[in-house]
Amino acid sequence: MSKKVVDVNGKRLVLSNLEKDLYPSAGFTKAHVLEYYSRISRFILPHLKDRALTLKRFPEGVEKEFFFEKRCPSYRPSWVKTADTFYGEKERMTVCLVNDLDTLVWVANLASLELHVPLARVKFRETPDSMVFDLDPGDEADIVDCAHVALILRDLLSSLKLACYVKTSGKKGLHVYVPLNLKDAIFEDTKKFSKAVAEVMQRNYPDLVTAKMSKEQRRGRVFINWSQNDSSKTMICVYSLRARTEPIISFPLTWNEVESLESEGDPKKFEITHSEAVGRAEKVGDLFGDMILKEQKLPYL
């Protein structure tokens, strides 16, 4: 096993197996993964900060077995920040907080290709700072259909005086986020609100949208997964890699882009590669920045 000792922000890190192909079809090694997360760090870290990280680890690459790890590994360096929280209702566990570059590099060195986080920061476990509509295409639907739904959803939320932001899931769907940041809504509120909106969409666009989880109900439609608004659930973090054949990123889009891509009708054009993600972020900045700053109150439906 090859090893390399590096200094990251004054912390000593032992990096291993840098030559290992974690995306074999793309020739994308662990060294490339570490380089990507290092370059994107100033954009992703604000969205990871103080959130209980769930690692999705692929020690032998995306074509082999993976596992989720909610508990922060016991062999973590002493400088990795952690927090104690609950797993379920009663069981306590210690989780990793990725608040700095050194911890991000350490996590990436564990072959945690995907970084999943809850909608609430660890100190406010039941108080989400955002609400999400997870748009998931069923069989015979695709991300272009998700874009159509996202645009309708944007207009509906706008009529309720709620700004929203969109990112690719990095796989086959889109995520529409509504920032809150006022600490006056709990998950019970956001789940109820998002379910009501999904059901309104289903009633008005029955051939396009379903709010039901049944696989049969999803055929040819986009499932608006409102159930992600829960303290026990996580979402893929914006700017995270996804474990696909190619190193595709969960990346934020402008609404103008969504309109343009929806009209073009090509699902492949929604795929943002690692190199494109870095280039675009460095050029235009963090399109998801308002998710951290914008304060909004849920209206009564």
Side-chain angles (χ1 to χ4, degrees):
M1 180 175 69
S2 60
K3 292 183 179 180
K4 180 180 180 181
V5 179
V6 297
D7 182 279
V8 182
N9 287 347
K11 308 293 194 309
R12 181 179 180 272
L13 277 167
V14 180
L15 307 180
S16 59
N17 294 328
L18 295 178
E19 71 288 348
K20 181 172 284 187
D21 251 343
L22 296 183
Y23 292 80
S25 297
F28 199 72
T29 66
K30 186 192 274 192
H32 292 124
V33 170
L34 290 164
E35 180 187 17
Y36 169 73
Y37 276 123
S38 295
R39 292 187 65 189
I40 207 70
S41 60
R42 65 189 172 103
F43 302 103
I44 194 174
L45 283 172
H47 301 282
L48 292 169
K49 184 176 173 59
D50 293 333
R51 298 182 192 275
L53 179 70
T54 296
L55 297 82
K56 189 174 182 182
R57 297 176 59 180
F58 294 78
E60 301 303 323
V62 297
E63 297 176 359
K64 300 291 180 65
E65 296 291 321
F66 68 87
F67 62 96
F68 287 97
E69 194 164 16
K70 286 185 174 290
R71 289 177 172 79
C72 199
S74 59
Y75 49 83
R76 62 186 178 269
S78 60
W79 41 261
V80 169
K81 293 182 176 65
T82 62
D84 289 331
T85 187
F86 285 96
Y87 181 66
E89 292 301 316
K90 296 180 179 179
E91 187 179 355
R92 294 188 70 84
M93 66 177 176
T94 299
V95 295
C96 298
L97 302 179
V98 181
N99 291 355
D100 45 45
L101 175 60
D102 26 305
T103 305
L104 180 60
V105 172
W106 174 73
V107 163
N109 187 56
L110 297 177
S112 180
L113 303 181
E114 297 189 357
L115 307 178
H116 295 253
V117 288
L119 297 172
R121 298 185 192 274
V122 73
K123 288 184 179 178
F124 305 97
R125 183 172 176 267
E126 293 297 331
T127 309
D129 42 30
S130 63
M131 175 174 61
V132 69
F133 296 88
D134 182 357
L135 308 185
D136 184 14
D139 292 342
E140 301 172 22
D142 59 25
I143 197 169
V144 178
D145 299 300
C146 291
H148 189 185
V149 173
L151 292 166
I152 298 170
L153 182 58
R154 174 199 60 180
D155 293 343
L156 174 58
L157 292 170
S158 179
S159 73
L160 297 171
K161 296 183 168 43
L162 288 173
C164 59
Y165 302 84
V166 63
K167 69 179 179 74
T168 66
S169 69
K171 289 195 172 179
K172 58 182 181 177
L174 292 174
H175 298 153
V176 176
Y177 277 73
V178 178
L180 299 173
N181 295 313
L182 286 173
K183 299 292 183 285
D184 64 350
I186 60 175
F187 276 108
E188 183 180 351
D189 301 323
T190 55
K191 182 178 285 187
K192 187 183 299 182
F193 187 98
S194 58
K195 183 180 181 184
V197 169
E199 289 173 342
V200 167
M201 294 276 288
Q202 178 181 260
R203 281 197 300 272
N204 285 279
Y205 303 93
D207 295 330
L208 179 63
V209 171
T210 181
K212 298 178 180 177
M213 295 187 184
S214 163
K215 293 285 187 184
E216 280 305 309
Q217 293 289 334
R218 301 188 201 185
R219 186 178 300 277
R221 298 180 178 88
V222 173
F223 171 45
I224 300 181
N225 189 353
W226 47 267
S227 71
Q228 290 297 113
N229 295 288
D230 191 288
S231 62
S232 67
K233 301 290 183 69
T234 62
M235 296 290 294
I236 190 72
C237 189
V238 65
Y239 303 112
S240 174
L241 283 160
R242 297 311 304 260
R244 298 179 55 180
T245 305
E246 303 286 327
I248 303 299
I249 308 301
S250 177
F251 196 80
L253 304 173
T254 67
W255 284 111
N256 286 340
E257 283 182 282
V258 176
E259 290 173 356
S260 176
L261 291 169
E262 193 260 346
S263 67
E264 290 182 36
D266 182 356
K268 292 292 288 183
K269 291 192 175 180
F270 286 87
E271 296 181 353
I272 309 297
T273 65
H274 67 285
S275 56
E276 186 181 0
V278 171
R280 289 177 62 167
E282 290 177 345
K283 181 178 180 180
V284 304
D286 181 8
L287 294 177
F288 243 43
D290 277 354
M291 288 303 307
I292 298 168
L293 301 172
K294 193 170 186 64
E295 297 180 345
Q296 299 188 113
K297 191 176 183 69
L298 281 183
Y300 289 105
L301 290 180

